[in-house]
């Protein structure tokens, strides 16, 4: 049986071996941007015009010494990046901190990376500080949640004047993975994290306020599989992989709903879309076969069935989903050669995609 410190070390090593992934954003001008890790930074591709299909040549956004990244956008389409930075320590080992940067316009340089620190003073514990998840509330408040070096949950928030509050300790133990965090349209932020035996859920007591009591549920969550989507105003649906049941959907006032699928050990992408006049949820993951799978269900009615389809596109990590300027669903993957590819929703009934386009 692993002790708490050994478990945290094992989890940090597991996270460090995982591919970063791929991210899609849509700027205020309607153009999509794709980001993929590349050496000491992020390689970035941007659509030549809103709705594509052509993409411009890539450029590199400096992001030195990052091991993980989280990406979110605010109401003005500013892109917020939160990364885990790991640097060699003079006395041996590594020093870890969380850094934050903003891209204000499509294709423009990022702001300077600003360190928001690491709450641990002990070097060995600080080196186990986890990967961040960043969200931005409708008010513009930035929230970063991180599993700490002892398996707890830490949160840091940016104040209205742009300065950062102190780290908040949500006082829990045995968290084993990156949390799912959502900034709801009603102004509340929610966090769902998982241990090896249960899930832990926190919700703000008011927009921008403190955190209520933790809600615990006996659920089994495969490491690295948590995701979340707002599926109605102020209501979040969480998705993860149950090792025995495949993908599940969970709302905190109900029981997990089995969705099937054949996911690998990555997270899930989720986006809502109107299909055939119905409010639907589109899900995507890397299947156990190593190819990208996509699923469709009527939003918050998953119990009546999910339609899954293997796209046949090999991918190294979880796909990304977004809407383009014409409200079509766009899916992006990182191919086995490390290069990104995108497919775009076609006209017609249901959900189908055109041919994969290499960027």
């Amino acid at each position: 049986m692993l002790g708490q410190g050994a478990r945290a070390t094992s989890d940090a090593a597991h996270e460090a071996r995982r591919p970063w992934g791929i991210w899609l954003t849509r700027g205020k001008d309607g153009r999509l941007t794709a980001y993929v890790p590349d050496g000491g930074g992020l390689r970035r591709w941007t659509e030549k015009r809103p709705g594509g299909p052509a993409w411009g040549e890539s450029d590199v956004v400096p992001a030195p010494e990052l091991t993980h990244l989280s990406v979110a956008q605010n109401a003005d389409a500013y892109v917020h990046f939160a990364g885990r930075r790991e640097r060699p320590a003079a006395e041996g080992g590594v020093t870890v901190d969380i850094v934050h940067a903003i891209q204000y316009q499509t294709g423009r340089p990022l702001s300077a990376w600003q360190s928001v620190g690491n709450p641990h003073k002990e070097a060995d514990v600080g080196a186990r500080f986890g990967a961040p998840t960043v969200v931005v509330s409708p008010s513009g408040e930035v929230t970063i949640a991180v599993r700490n070096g002892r398996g707890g949950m830490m949160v840091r928030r940016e104040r209205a004047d742009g300065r950062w509050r102190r780290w908040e300790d949500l006082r829990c133990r045995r968290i084993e993975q990156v949390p799912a965090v959502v900034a709801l349209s009603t102004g509340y932020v929610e966090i769902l994290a998982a241990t090896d035996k249960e899930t832990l859920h926190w919700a703000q007591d008011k927009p921008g306020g403190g955190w209520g009591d933790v809600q615990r549920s006996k659920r089994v969550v495969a490491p690295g599989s948590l995701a979340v989507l707002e599926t109605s105003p102020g209501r979040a649906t969480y998705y993860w992989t149950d090792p025995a049941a495949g993908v599940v959907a969970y709302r905190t006032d109900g029981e997990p709903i089995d969705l099937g699928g054949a996911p690998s050990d990555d997270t899930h992408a989720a986006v809502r879309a109107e299909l055939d006049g119905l409010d639907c949820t589109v899900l995507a993951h890397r299947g156990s076969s190593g190819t990208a799978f996509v699923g469709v269900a009527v939003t918050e009615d998953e119990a009546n069935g999910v339609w899954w389809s293997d796209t046949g596109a090999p991918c190294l990590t979880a796909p990304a989903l977004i809407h383009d300027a014409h409200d079509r669903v766009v899916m992006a993957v990182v191919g086995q050669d490390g290069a990104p590819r995108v497919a775009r929703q076609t006209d017609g009934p249901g959900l189908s995609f055109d041919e994969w386009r290499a960027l």
Side-chain angles (χ1 to χ4, degrees), residues 204-278:
Q204 288 180 321
D205 52 23
K206 62 180 180 180
W211 304 94
D213 294 336
V214 63
Q215 296 182 22
R216 299 175 182 270
S217 298
K218 297 294 184 183
R219 314 293 181 202
V220 179
V221 178
S225 66
L226 278 173
V228 61
L229 178 70
E230 183 172 18
T231 49
S232 60
R235 183 175 166 95
T237 299
Y238 297 91
Y239 305 94
W240 66 76
T241 301
D242 182 312
V247 187
V248 301
Y250 173 67
R251 289 174 282 277
T252 56
D253 58 355
E255 294 295 320
I257 302 167
D258 294 347
L259 306 185
S264 64
D265 58 351
D266 284 292
T267 188
H268 304 275
V271 69
R272 287 167 67 183
E274 183 176 320
L275 302 174
D276 302 332
L278 297 173

Side-chain angles (χ1 to χ4, degrees), residues 94-337:
V94 297
T95 60
V96 171
D97 66 341
I98 303 301
V99 292
H100 172 254
I102 305 173
Q103 177 184 288
Y104 292 99
Q105 290 181 292
T106 303
R108 300 295 297 166
L110 273 62
S111 68
W113 289 94
Q114 174 190 5
S115 176
V116 299
N118 180 329
H120 298 297
K121 298 187 182 302
E122 308 95 322
D124 59 333
V125 181
R128 299 195 297 265
F129 205 43
T133 302
V134 63
V135 296
V136 188
S137 300
S139 66
E141 181 178 77
V142 180
T143 298
I144 296 176
V146 189
R147 175 189 53 75
N148 70 29
R150 292 189 174 91
M153 180 57 60
M154 306 294 291
V155 176
R156 195 160 196 192
R157 294 184 280 176
E158 187 183 41
R159 302 191 320 194
D161 62 4
R163 299 174 64 185
W164 290 86
R165 305 183 190 188
R166 294 182 178 181
W167 286 100
E168 302 169 76
D169 188 348
L170 299 190
R171 300 193 179 280
C172 60
R173 298 179 61 193
R174 304 177 68 91
I175 290 174
E176 294 198 331
Q177 54 185 282
V178 180
V181 188
V182 60
L184 299 169
S185 59
T186 50
Y188 292 84
V189 173
E190 295 186 9
I191 301 171
L192 186 79
T195 72
D196 58 340
K197 297 179 179 178
E198 63 181 354
T199 62
L200 298 87
H201 178 262
W202 296 267
Q204 288 180 321
D205 52 23
K206 62 180 180 180
W211 304 94
D213 294 336
V214 63
Q215 296 182 22
R216 299 175 182 270
S217 298
K218 297 294 184 183
R219 314 293 181 202
V220 179
V221 178
S225 66
L226 278 173
V228 61
L229 178 70
E230 183 172 18
T231 49
S232 60
R235 183 175 166 95
T237 299
Y238 297 91
Y239 305 94
W240 66 76
T241 301
D242 182 312
V247 187
V248 301
Y250 173 67
R251 289 174 282 277
T252 56
D253 58 355
E255 294 295 320
I257 302 167
D258 294 347
L259 306 185
S264 64
D265 58 351
D266 284 292
T267 188
H268 304 275
V271 69
R272 287 167 67 183
E274 183 176 320
L275 302 174
D276 302 332
L278 297 173
D279 178 358
C280 293
T281 297
V282 180
L283 299 168
H285 59 244
R286 182 170 67 97
S288 57
S289 63
T291 57
F293 277 68
V294 62
V296 176
V298 175
T299 299
E300 297 194 356
D301 193 24
E302 307 92 345
N304 279 325
V306 180
W307 174 79
W308 290 103
S309 176
D310 185 351
T311 70
C315 52
L316 292 179
T317 187
L321 295 171
I322 201 169
H323 289 278
D324 70 7
H326 303 308
D327 208 31
R328 296 172 297 197
V329 177
V330 176
M331 180 162 50
V333 300
V334 178
Q336 291 179 326
D337 57 359

Side-chain angles (χ1 to χ4, degrees), residues 20 39-42 61-67 84-87 99 113:
W20 285 23
L42 295 171
V61 176
E65 301 168 310
L66 297 189
T67 65
R84 179 185 185 272
R85 182 169 61 180
E86 185 176 291
R87 295 175 288 180
V99 292
W113 289 94

Side-chain angles (χ1 to χ4, degrees), residues 10-74:
S10 175
D11 296 338
H14 174 72
E15 287 180 358
R17 291 194 299 268
R18 297 179 65 82
W20 285 23
I22 185 169
W23 298 269
L24 289 172
T25 63
R26 189 174 76 188
K28 202 163 189 178
D29 63 359
R31 289 187 295 160
L32 300 184
T33 301
Y35 307 86
V36 174
D38 183 5
L42 295 171
R43 188 161 292 277
R44 178 177 65 179
W45 291 259
T46 301
E47 286 183 319
K48 290 185 176 181
R49 60 186 60 83
W55 295 69
E57 295 294 324
S58 67
D59 64 344
V60 175
V61 176
E65 301 168 310
L66 297 189
T67 65
H68 299 81
L69 188 71
S70 177
V71 180
Q73 289 188 269
N74 69 4

